[in-house]
Each structure stands twice: as structure tokens, then as C-alpha cells.
Amino acid sequence: MEQPHTLVEALQGHFIGALTFDFTRYLIAAGVMTLVLLALPGWVRRRRIQKRKATRADYLREFFSSLRTVFVFAVTTLTTLAMRETGFLKLVGGPVDWGLLAVQLGAMVLLHDAYFYWMHRALHHKALFRATHLHHHKSRTPTPWAAYSFSAWEAVAEAAFVPAYLLVLALAGLEVHFWVMLAFLWHMLARNVMGHAGVELFPRFWVDSKLTDWITTTTHHDLHHSEGSHNFGLYFTWWDRWMGTEHPQYKERFREVVSRTRPGKVDAVPAE
Ligand SMILES: [Zn+2]
Ligand SMILES: [Zn+2]
């Protein structure tokens, strides 16, 4: 293969690679979730969280604004790689220590959950909401394609976590394995798509077991979209409970959705 002749050519090559990577993983995650939902129509009718259905305009807006987010993520990926090349970040390959990898992944997910909760609450502040987060909330009834449906400003705020995290670790002399990054990115996207599925995916016992009720369900984030003033968390329910922002009927709504035995009994959320 011909080598790039200039720095600009090399950057262009990396940018197209980053765009392809970020777009493909969005397509795979949202596409797989859509196919799963299409394959189970009876179950989906029973488990649909809202009475309102997403419109064709919702799907189109979510998809096309996600392309903008893919662009912002690709710029961030390129920036991260450039910072790595210049020695600012310590993102490494090579042999894998699975125990260390699990600890690093767990720490990154925990910190991202805290970052997301507070960033999300800040975007809901009236001084910022219209310019940054209103676009995401146009999806009153989200679909898996809303996973990346952000304004440009929100996309930047969402993307900033990874390079900021790597930079802080590098300043502390710590390095992160590439596989931790890949696992983190796939976990984030999978949970994001699940939260926007519009259909409760989690088993019936989920909110009534101490072993599982700390992990957010689809109803958790769906209530944030339909009502907007509670449930700011991403992966875990902790921050909403500690800060008193969990929806007061979260568990009741979840139980109502998962206990339906037939379709047409959808009354969890009133239609607009
Ligand atoms: Zn929000
Ligand atoms: Zn959302």
C-alpha cells in the first residue's frame, strides 16, 4: 500500500478511518436493536413503554443528527490519537493482563457514569438547555436511533470524557490498554441504545432485586424522555437516588410495563 506523503494526507486517512469506525458502530448497535425489536412483534407490543409511537420524522431527525455526532466523535478520536502520538496520552497495546483490564474498565465506567450524571444535569440548567440538550429531548418517544441524536454542543460534551479521562490518567503516570477503550466504547453504545429502545428489555424481577436494581432499565431513561425532570443517570441508579432525582414512580412504571400479559393495555405514559 502506498504511504501518505504529507501530514495532511496522513490525518485525512486517520479521519476517514475514525469516521468509518464511529459510524459503523452506531449503525451496528442501533441496527441490531431495531432488528431484534422487529423480530419479536408480540413481545414488543406488550413491552412498549409509551402509548405514543415515534414518527417517521422522529426516526429521520435522530438518524441525521447522529451523523453530526459521528463527525464530532471522529474529530475527538483523531484528537485522541494525535495526543497519543505526541506523548500526552498513554494508550497502549501489547500483552493483556485480564484482571487489570477488568479493573480499568470498571473504573472507567464508574467515572463516566458520574461524569454523565453531572454533565446531563448541567445541560438541563435553563441557561444551557435550549442551546445544548433540547435537540436530544425532541425525541419524546425515543428509538434506538436516538442514541447519538445530539446537538453539536452536546456531542462535544459527550465526547470530551474519553480524552479528558486519558489525559488525567497520563498526568498521574497511568496507561490504558486499547482493549479497555474498545470495551468501554461498545458498552457505552450498547447501554445507550438499550436506554432508547422504547421497549422494556429487562426481566421482570429487575427493580425488585438488590442484586440488579442499581443498573438502569429502559423505563428509567424512557421516563426521562417522556417527562424530563427525573432520571438523569446513564448506567446506574445511584446518582439519581443520592441526589433525590429518581422518578417517584419509576419502579411502579417498570412493574406495570413488564407485567402486561396482552398488548393494548398500555397505560404507563399518557399520550401527548
Ligand atoms: Zn436530558
Ligand atoms: Zn436519551
Side-chain angles (χ1 to χ4, degrees):
M1 208 172 76
E2 221 178 294
Q3 292 297 312
H5 296 293
T6 65
L7 181 63
V8 173
E9 281 177 30
L11 284 175
Q12 277 174 346
H14 283 310
F15 186 61
I16 289 168
L19 268 182
T20 309
F21 171 70
D22 285 314
F23 182 54
T24 307
R25 63 194 189 92
Y26 166 70
L27 269 189
I28 292 173
V32 165
M33 181 57 74
T34 301
L35 289 177
V36 167
L37 298 181
L38 284 173
L40 301 166
W43 185 77
V44 163
R45 274 198 297 277
R46 282 198 306 279
R47 290 280 191 116
R48 192 182 294 287
I49 297 166
Q50 298 184 30
K51 192 181 274 184
R52 180 186 181 274
K53 284 190 179 175
T55 63
R56 185 185 162 82
D58 287 324
Y59 278 95
L60 289 174
R61 186 192 60 255
E62 289 170 356
F63 179 76
F64 285 108
S65 54
S66 293
L67 297 184
R68 175 176 53 205
T69 299
V70 164
F71 182 84
V72 172
F73 282 11
V75 172
T76 311
T77 303
L78 197 64
T79 310
T80 307
L81 290 175
M83 287 167 82
R84 176 179 179 260
E85 291 303 312
T86 48
F88 281 102
L89 306 179
K90 294 185 173 167
L91 201 52
V92 298
V96 176
D97 175 340
W98 293 104
L100 184 63
L101 195 136
V103 170
Q104 284 191 343
L105 180 61
M108 197 169 178
V109 168
L110 284 176
L111 277 165
H112 184 236
D113 188 63
Y115 172 84
F116 182 88
Y117 177 86
W118 288 106
M119 181 268 292
H120 190 186
R121 280 199 71 177
L123 298 192
H124 271 264
H125 190 280
K126 61 182 186 301
L128 295 175
F129 185 77
R130 286 191 76 80
T132 60
H133 194 46
L134 172 66
H135 187 84
H136 187 64
H137 277 276
K138 286 182 180 169
S139 299
R140 289 289 304 278
T141 307
T143 81
W145 301 91
Y148 276 7
S149 180
F150 306 130
S151 71
W153 286 117
E154 178 165 3
V156 170
E158 300 270 354
F161 173 77
V162 168
Y165 177 74
L166 294 176
L167 194 59
V168 169
L169 284 196
L171 288 173
L174 298 169
E175 51 192 33
V176 176
H177 201 283
F178 262 116
W179 282 35
V180 172
M181 277 307 311
L182 274 183
F184 171 81
L185 291 174
W186 275 105
H187 170 260
M188 174 175 64
L189 185 53
R191 293 296 310 277
N192 197 342
V193 165
M194 289 168 77
H196 294 104
V199 171
E200 186 47 69
L201 305 168
F202 285 79
R204 278 179 178 223
F205 64 84
W206 203 261
V207 301
D208 293 309
S209 167
K210 283 280 166 244
L211 294 177
T212 49
D213 91 322
W214 50 280
I215 297 173
T216 54
T217 62
T218 307
T219 301
H220 192 273
H221 193 63
D222 200 280
L223 279 170
H224 180 71
H225 276 267
S226 60
E227 301 187 19
S229 49
H230 294 93
N231 297 2
F232 297 92
L234 179 59
Y235 309 124
F236 309 118
T237 53
W238 299 318
W239 281 103
D240 278 304
R241 290 188 185 153
W242 291 334
M243 295 299 129
T245 52
E246 183 170 277
H247 192 289
Q249 278 104 41
Y250 163 51
K251 290 191 174 183
E252 284 167 46
R253 295 283 183 90
F254 176 90
R255 291 187 197 108
E256 189 278 318
V257 173
V258 296
S259 62
R260 290 182 203 138
T261 52
R262 58 190 165 80
K265 196 178 155 282
V266 184
D267 54 10
V269 174
E272 285 184 273

Short mmCIF file of all heavy atoms in Angstrom, two decimals, residues 120 124 133 137 224, ligand 1:
data_model
loop_
_atom_site.label_atom_id
_atom_site.label_comp_id
_atom_site.label_asym_id
_atom_site.label_seq_id
_atom_site.Cartn_x
_atom_site.Cartn_y
_atom_site.Cartn_z
N HIS A 120 -25.15 15.90 32.38
CA HIS A 120 -26.55 15.88 31.96
C HIS A 120 -27.39 16.87 32.79
O HIS A 120 -28.20 17.63 32.24
CB HIS A 120 -27.06 14.44 32.12
CG HIS A 120 -28.41 14.19 31.51
ND1 HIS A 120 -29.07 13.01 31.66
CD2 HIS A 120 -29.21 14.98 30.75
CE1 HIS A 120 -30.22 13.08 31.02
NE2 HIS A 120 -30.34 14.26 30.46
N HIS A 124 -29.37 20.45 31.62
CA HIS A 124 -30.78 20.75 31.90
C HIS A 124 -30.96 22.11 32.57
O HIS A 124 -32.10 22.54 32.77
CB HIS A 124 -31.40 19.64 32.77
CG HIS A 124 -31.99 18.54 31.96
ND1 HIS A 124 -33.32 18.45 31.62
CD2 HIS A 124 -31.39 17.48 31.35
CE1 HIS A 124 -33.52 17.39 30.88
NE2 HIS A 124 -32.37 16.78 30.69
N HIS A 133 -29.23 20.80 24.88
CA HIS A 133 -29.84 19.49 25.14
C HIS A 133 -31.26 19.36 24.62
O HIS A 133 -31.80 18.25 24.57
CB HIS A 133 -29.80 19.27 26.66
CG HIS A 133 -30.07 17.87 27.11
ND1 HIS A 133 -29.50 16.76 26.52
CD2 HIS A 133 -30.87 17.40 28.10
CE1 HIS A 133 -29.93 15.67 27.15
NE2 HIS A 133 -30.78 16.03 28.09
N HIS A 137 -33.99 16.03 23.48
CA HIS A 137 -35.33 15.86 24.05
C HIS A 137 -36.46 16.05 23.03
O HIS A 137 -37.63 15.89 23.39
CB HIS A 137 -35.51 16.79 25.25
CG HIS A 137 -34.94 16.18 26.50
ND1 HIS A 137 -35.65 15.28 27.28
CD2 HIS A 137 -33.73 16.28 27.07
CE1 HIS A 137 -34.90 14.89 28.28
NE2 HIS A 137 -33.72 15.48 28.18
N HIS A 224 -37.25 9.70 31.50
CA HIS A 224 -36.54 10.97 31.36
C HIS A 224 -36.96 11.67 30.07
O HIS A 224 -37.14 12.88 30.03
CB HIS A 224 -35.03 10.76 31.40
CG HIS A 224 -34.27 12.04 31.25
ND1 HIS A 224 -34.23 12.99 32.25
CD2 HIS A 224 -33.56 12.56 30.21
CE1 HIS A 224 -33.53 14.03 31.83
NE2 HIS A 224 -33.11 13.80 30.60
ZN ZN B 1 -31.99 15.15 29.43
#
